[in-house]
């Protein structure tokens, strides 16, 4: 399109008009339609004085009836106070349900209070009900009059500017005066006429005040502005649902234009006017902060906390010292922008966020509660030209995990592995682990650019805390065990430490990058010693090999088994544990011992199981036996559950025709019942 286009009354609804040039365009209504709308607005202004007069007349009727009864003078005072306070309340709080409830409550309280003062008057109740009804009507008509006046002034303002306030108010006052003169036949008092005109003028002025608050985007009256803009934009230029990616509206007048649900990715609005009079629902322009930034390109020192800048065209924008905490800047274009000394704490960017030729010497990663910017980057000196773009490209695919009470390596490895498995195909790389002092450890984990970092951060943190709790339960078990059991667990723990030590060595000493990949739908859990175990459809297997033989990466995958524990040793330990369980000689212990003996024989005789699977199954049986020896109240149910799940996992990995699968399926309900699961 050519420059200086007249696109008034054009309809681009749901069109794909990417990369179009609407520079210096004029949108909205054509001339004859504008004249018609203005004429209608002026005519409506004549009726703005009707409701205020009706309200004022109702109040005067109350005063006129009660003034003849001196003993009801207090009720007159209460009526006047309630009437004017309701108007004051509206200006300060807006037309909300709470406002109506509050005023009605005041009327009821005032009525009850007055009835206590004059309860001895037999005619008082009926008079009181009538006066209360008139008071309620007068307040309702007052509110309607104020709303009508505010709406009309605001509507006319969109076409006539400040002149609309003068025209509408003048016409409303003239109408009110004429009606008040006619109302003299009802009130039979010149003073009543003056009071009616005075109250009507007050209501019209309040309507004008609310109109000004509406035009200033007051939250209490924003709904009035929305309705006015809707009617004013009806029939104007429409981009409803249009794809305006990379479109240029620089210098355009876009009043009375419908942009609802339009795709404004990287659309340019520099020096645009009239956007405050356009329909912007469902776009980033709905936020007045964003609207001002996109039209002026000046956001220096401004607060854009949690602002939606997704897809915003910020080319050349001045955002020095700006607060961009938790700002959504996905797909935004910062090319050539100025970001020096801005705070970018937890802002959300992706691989489509552009930073070409950004002018930035320094940014801050944290903002204190007192508003101070903390944690500058770089740590010393300044970014040289081109360095910020390189740095932010590396940072935007990293998740920072903060551990306040030191880092539990086993829990950390488990949380990464579990998250990788749950998100099949997700690659997690441990970039660095830094001790900040006072027990605070910061781990930087790399993710792909398309990853939802908030969701992955939350998932890793959740799995970490679950793993820590499981490990702490293991330590509690060790402290309660006999001396021989302690030595057995210690041997098992030492053998499994090789996996974790591989991670530590790879990160802390060789500075290599640890990558943890998820395969299939396996679930990683903690065994009774607190170490990582992998489950395929609830089966539990040991967690992964650490290959550090070549390259700069450590890849976690495959199996990790306890090579120091032979199958014969595992079988012997199970036999000892079952015999100790049998020695307790109770009905439940004997029954459990018989079942475990049957399971042990099925495991050792099952040719469908590998030696690794047999050892895992025997360790699960041993755990059940050890927990079965304890009184029900002292059992660690989490370990019992893990052991049962381990057996489920092993049996799910083999055919149903195997001996173990058949036996386990038969005795599973009894085992869970005996263990109290």
């Amino acid at each position: 399109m050519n420059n200086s286009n007249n696109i008034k009354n054009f309809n681009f609804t749901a069109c794909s008009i990417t990369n179009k040039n609407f520079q210096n365009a004029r949108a909205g209504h054509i001339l004859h339609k504008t004249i018609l709308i203005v004429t209608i607005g002026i005519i409506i202004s004549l009726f703005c004085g009707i409701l205020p007069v009706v309200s004022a007349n109702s109040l005067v009727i109350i005063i006129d009836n009660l003034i003849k009864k001196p003993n009801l003078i207090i009720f007159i005072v209460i009526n006047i106070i309630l009437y004017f306070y309701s108007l004051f309340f509206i200006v300060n709080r807006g037309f909300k349900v709470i406002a109506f409830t509050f005023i009605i409550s005041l009327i009821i309280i005032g009525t009850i209070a007055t009835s206590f003062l004059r309860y001895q008057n037999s005619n008082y109740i009926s008079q009181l009900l009538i006066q209360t009804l008139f008071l309620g009507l007068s307040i309702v008509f007052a509110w309607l009059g104020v709303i009508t006046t505010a709406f009309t002034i605001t509507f006319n303002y969109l076409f006539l500017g400040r002149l609309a306030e003068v025209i509408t108010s003048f016409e409303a006052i003239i109408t009110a005066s004429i009606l008040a003169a006619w109302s003299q036949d009802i009130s039979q008092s010149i003073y009543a006429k003056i009071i009616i005109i005075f109250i009507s003028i007050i209501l019209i002025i309040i309507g004008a005040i609310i109109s000004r608050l509406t035009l200033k985007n007051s939250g209490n009256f924003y709904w009035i502005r929305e309705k006015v803009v809707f009617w004013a934009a009806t029939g104007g230029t429409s981009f409803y649902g249009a794809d305006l990616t990379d479109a240029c509206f620089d210098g355009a007048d876009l009043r009375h234009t419908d942009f609802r649900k339009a795709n404004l990715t990287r659309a340019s609005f520099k020096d645009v006017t009239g956007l405050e009079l356009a329909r912007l629902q469902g776009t980033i322009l709905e936020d007045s902060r964003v609207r001002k930034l996109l039209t002026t390109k000046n956001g220096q020192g401004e607060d854009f906390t949690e602002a939606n800048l997704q897809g915003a065209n910020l080319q050349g924008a001045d955002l020095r010292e700006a607060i961009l905490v938790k700002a959504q800047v996905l797909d935004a274009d910062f090319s050539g922008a100025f970001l020096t000394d801005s705070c970018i704490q937890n802002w959300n960017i992706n691989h489509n966020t552009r930073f070409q030729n950004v002018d930035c010497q320094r940014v801050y990663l944290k903002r204190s509660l007192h508003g101070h910017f903390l944690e500058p980057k770089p740590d010393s000196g300044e970014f040289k030209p081109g360095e910020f773009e390189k740095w932010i490209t590396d940072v935007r695919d990293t998740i920072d995990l903060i551990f306040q009470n030191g880092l539990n390596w086993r829990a950390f490895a488990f949380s990464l592995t579990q998250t990788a498995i749950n998100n099949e195909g997700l690659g997690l790389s441990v970039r660095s682990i830094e001790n900040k002092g006072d027990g605070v450890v910061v781990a930087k984990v790399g993710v792909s650019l398309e990853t939802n970092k908030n969701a992955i951060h939350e998932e890793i943190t959740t799995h970490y805390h679950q793993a820590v709790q499981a490990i702490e339960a293991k330590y509690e078990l060790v402290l309660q065990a006999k001396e021989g059991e302690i030595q057995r667990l210690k041997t098992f723990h030492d053998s499994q430490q090789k996996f974790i030590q591989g991670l530590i060595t790879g990160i802390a000493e060789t500075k290599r990058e640890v990558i943890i990949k998820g395969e299939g739908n396996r679930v990683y859990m903690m065994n009774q010693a607190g170490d990582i175990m992998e489950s395929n459809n609830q089966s539990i297997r040991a967690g992964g090999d650490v290959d550090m033989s070549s390259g700069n990466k450590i890849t976690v995958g495959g199996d990790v088994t306890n090579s120091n524990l032979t199958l014969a040793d595992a079988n012997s330990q199970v036999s000892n544990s079952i015999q100790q369980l049998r020695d307790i000689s109770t009905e439940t212990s004997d029954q459990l011992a018989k079942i475990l003996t049957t399971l042990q024989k099925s495991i050792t005789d099952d040719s469908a199981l590998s030696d690794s699977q047999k050892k895992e199954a025997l360790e699960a049986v041993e755990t059940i036996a050890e927990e079965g020896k304890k009184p029900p109240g002292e059992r660690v149910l989490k370990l019992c559950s893990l052991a049962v799940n381990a057996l489920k996992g092993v049996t799910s990995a083999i055919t149903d025709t195997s001996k173990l699968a058949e036996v386990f399926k038969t005795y599973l309900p009894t085992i869970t019942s005996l263990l109290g699961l």
Side-chain angles (χ1 to χ4, degrees):
M1 288 191 175
N2 298 323
N3 291 344
S4 302
N5 267 310
N6 183 347
I7 56 174
K8 294 183 177 181
N9 280 80
F10 274 59
N11 191 335
F12 301 96
T13 299
C15 292
S16 179
I17 40 181
T18 61
N19 204 30
K20 292 295 184 179
N21 184 5
F22 294 101
Q23 192 172 5
N24 298 319
R26 293 295 175 263
H29 297 288
I30 56 179
L31 181 59
H32 74 268
K33 183 175 288 188
T34 301
I35 294 174
L36 177 62
I37 293 174
V38 170
T39 302
I40 293 174
I42 292 175
I43 294 174
I44 293 175
S45 300
L46 292 171
F47 297 93
C48 289
I50 297 176
L51 290 173
V53 169
V54 174
S55 173
N57 199 57
S58 299
L59 183 62
V60 167
I61 290 175
I62 296 174
I63 297 174
D64 188 58
N65 289 338
L66 296 179
I67 203 169
K68 300 172 183 178
K69 304 176 181 62
N71 57 346
L72 296 179
I73 189 68
I74 186 171
F75 192 55
I76 297 176
V77 175
I78 291 175
N79 275 262
I80 294 175
I81 292 175
L82 287 175
Y83 183 86
F84 285 101
Y85 186 77
S86 69
L87 300 177
F88 172 80
F89 194 88
I90 288 172
V91 174
N92 284 274
R93 299 295 180 89
F95 299 93
K96 299 180 180 178
V97 174
I98 187 173
F100 288 84
T101 305
F102 182 75
I103 297 302
I104 292 173
S105 299
L106 286 179
I107 294 174
I108 294 174
I109 292 172
T111 301
I112 295 174
T114 308
S115 65
F116 275 112
L117 294 175
R118 299 299 304 168
Y119 67 92
Q120 69 276 16
N121 191 329
S122 59
N123 297 324
Y124 180 74
I125 299 298
S126 59
Q127 294 178 11
L128 197 59
L129 291 175
I130 294 174
Q131 307 309 321
T132 302
L133 175 62
F134 269 85
L135 176 61
L137 288 174
S138 65
I139 291 177
V140 170
F141 282 122
W143 287 353
L144 293 175
V146 167
I147 293 174
T148 303
T149 303
F151 188 93
T152 305
I153 292 176
T154 306
F155 182 85
N156 290 338
Y157 175 87
L158 301 188
F159 296 93
L160 300 175
R162 285 298 176 192
L163 180 62
E165 188 174 75
V166 176
I167 294 175
T168 305
S169 300
F170 178 77
E171 291 184 14
I173 291 174
I174 293 298
T175 303
S177 300
I178 295 173
L179 291 176
W182 173 81
S183 68
Q184 183 181 7
D185 295 335
I186 299 175
S187 62
Q188 300 296 322
S189 171
I190 187 65
Y191 299 107
K193 170 186 174 182
I194 296 174
I195 293 174
I196 292 173
I197 294 176
F198 177 74
I199 295 176
S200 299
I201 292 175
I202 290 177
L203 295 178
I204 293 169
I205 292 174
I206 291 175
I209 293 173
I210 291 177
S211 175
R212 288 200 175 189
L213 294 174
T214 300
L215 292 169
K216 292 180 180 179
N217 294 315
S218 171
N220 289 332
F221 307 104
Y222 188 76
W223 64 273
I224 296 179
R225 181 184 182 86
E226 279 192 334
K227 299 300 181 184
V228 169
V229 171
F230 166 76
W231 288 109
T234 301
T237 305
S238 177
F239 291 102
Y240 182 89
D243 185 357
L244 295 169
T245 301
D246 292 315
C248 178
F249 290 95
D250 292 355
D253 182 354
L254 300 177
R255 68 185 70 193
H256 314 316
T257 303
D258 191 351
F259 281 105
R260 289 174 301 155
K261 298 185 180 181
N263 181 0
L264 302 179
T265 301
R266 295 185 301 277
S268 180
F269 292 93
K270 185 177 181 181
D271 298 326
V272 163
T273 58
L275 279 178
E276 68 279 2
L277 307 179
R279 302 193 69 186
L280 308 171
Q281 291 86 350
T283 71
I284 60 175
L285 296 171
E286 192 172 6
D287 188 334
S288 59
R289 298 175 300 170
V290 177
R291 193 163 61 241
K292 179 181 177 182
L293 174 62
L294 294 184
T295 55
T296 66
K297 294 298 178 77
N298 183 12
Q300 182 175 1
E302 297 292 335
D303 188 350
F304 297 101
T305 299
E306 297 185 352
N308 182 10
L309 291 165
Q310 184 169 346
N313 187 325
L314 298 170
Q315 296 179 10
D318 187 352
L319 290 166
R320 289 173 294 182
E321 302 178 11
I323 303 172
L324 295 165
V325 177
K326 296 182 180 179
Q328 298 294 323
V329 290
L330 304 174
D331 303 324
D333 189 353
F334 288 94
S335 300
F338 299 86
L339 287 172
T340 298
D341 291 330
S342 60
C343 180
I344 59 174
Q345 176 183 349
N346 294 331
W347 71 348
N348 196 5
I349 61 179
N350 62 2
H351 67 288
N352 287 327
T353 307
R354 302 177 180 178
F355 294 98
Q356 288 83 359
N357 300 318
V358 167
D359 187 322
C360 181
Q361 285 78 51
R362 176 178 50 255
V363 291
Y364 293 88
L365 302 184
K366 187 175 181 180
R367 183 172 183 253
S368 70
L369 296 177
H370 302 290
H372 302 301
F373 290 179
L374 307 173
E375 297 186 19
K377 291 295 177 182
D379 297 317
S380 62
E382 298 179 345
F383 287 119
K384 295 179 181 178
E387 287 185 346
F388 174 79
E389 181 181 352
K390 182 179 180 181
W391 174 80
I392 198 66
T393 300
D394 182 61
V395 168
R396 65 184 172 186
D397 61 348
T398 302
I399 297 174
D400 288 350
L401 300 167
I402 302 175
F403 304 92
Q404 298 292 342
N405 300 312
L407 178 62
N408 187 309
W409 283 92
R410 268 175 293 162
F412 181 55
F414 163 75
S415 62
L416 294 181
T417 308
Q418 178 72 78
T419 303
I421 295 302
N422 289 349
N423 299 271
E424 185 175 354
L426 173 69
L428 297 177
S429 59
V430 181
R431 299 289 178 82
S432 67
I433 297 178
E434 184 178 357
N435 190 341
K436 296 289 187 178
D438 296 328
V440 179
V441 176
V442 177
K444 294 185 178 295
V445 178
V447 295
S448 61
L449 294 176
E450 295 80 10
T451 301
N452 185 335
K453 294 199 288 185
N454 290 335
I456 296 300
H457 183 282
E458 182 178 353
E459 185 172 353
I460 293 175
T461 303
T462 299
H463 291 319
Y464 177 81
H465 290 308
Q466 291 174 347
V468 169
Q469 292 176 359
I471 293 172
E472 289 176 349
K474 180 268 294 186
Y475 287 142
E476 182 179 351
L477 175 65
V478 171
L479 292 175
Q480 295 174 355
K482 296 179 181 179
E483 183 175 351
E485 180 67 7
I486 293 176
Q487 184 60 39
R488 186 188 71 82
L489 289 173
K490 183 177 184 302
T491 301
F492 182 80
H493 169 267
D494 291 342
S495 67
Q496 294 294 315
Q497 277 294 97
K498 293 180 180 180
F499 171 67
I500 305 303
Q501 190 59 43
L503 285 177
I504 299 174
T505 303
I507 297 170
E509 296 181 5
T510 67
K511 303 298 183 182
R512 293 171 179 170
E513 182 181 23
V514 178
I515 294 183
I516 298 178
K517 289 283 188 181
E519 298 177 359
N521 295 314
R522 288 171 294 207
V523 178
Y524 281 72
M525 306 177 68
M526 308 298 293
N527 65 12
Q528 70 267 31
D531 294 294
I532 300 174
M533 303 184 73
E534 176 190 350
S535 167
N536 187 354
N537 296 328
Q538 298 301 322
S539 67
I540 301 180
R541 303 176 57 195
D545 291 332
V546 180
D547 181 7
M548 301 174 59
S549 59
S550 62
N552 294 321
K553 294 184 179 179
I554 303 171
T555 303
V556 179
D559 294 332
V560 173
T561 59
N562 186 359
S563 59
N564 294 332
L565 187 65
T566 65
L567 181 59
D569 292 336
N571 197 33
S572 176
Q573 290 181 1
V574 171
S575 298
N576 291 335
S577 296
I578 293 176
Q579 183 58 47
Q580 293 172 6
L581 175 63
R582 191 177 287 112
D583 291 342
I584 297 176
S585 189
T586 64
E587 182 178 352
T588 57
S589 65
D590 289 342
Q591 186 179 5
L592 184 60
K594 290 179 181 179
I595 294 174
L596 295 181
T597 300
T598 303
L599 283 175
Q600 180 187 18
K601 187 175 186 308
S602 300
I603 293 169
T604 55
D605 294 345
D606 199 332
S607 59
L609 296 176
S610 66
D611 287 350
S612 175
Q613 290 173 318
K614 289 181 179 181
K615 284 196 293 182
E616 292 172 12
L618 289 171
E619 287 174 2
V621 171
E622 182 185 4
T623 299
I624 294 174
E626 291 296 325
E627 292 301 311
K629 292 187 295 183
K630 302 177 183 178
E634 297 180 8
R635 292 172 185 165
V636 182
L637 296 182
K638 182 179 291 186
L639 296 181
C640 296
S641 179
L642 288 174
V644 171
N645 286 334
L647 290 172
K648 288 181 181 178
V650 172
T651 57
S652 68
I654 55 181
T655 63
D656 291 337
T657 59
S658 72
K659 183 65 176 177
L660 175 60
E662 180 182 354
V663 172
F664 181 70
K665 183 177 181 181
T666 302
Y667 289 111
L668 175 60
T670 306
I671 293 174
T672 55
S673 175
L674 292 174
L675 293 176
L677 297 177

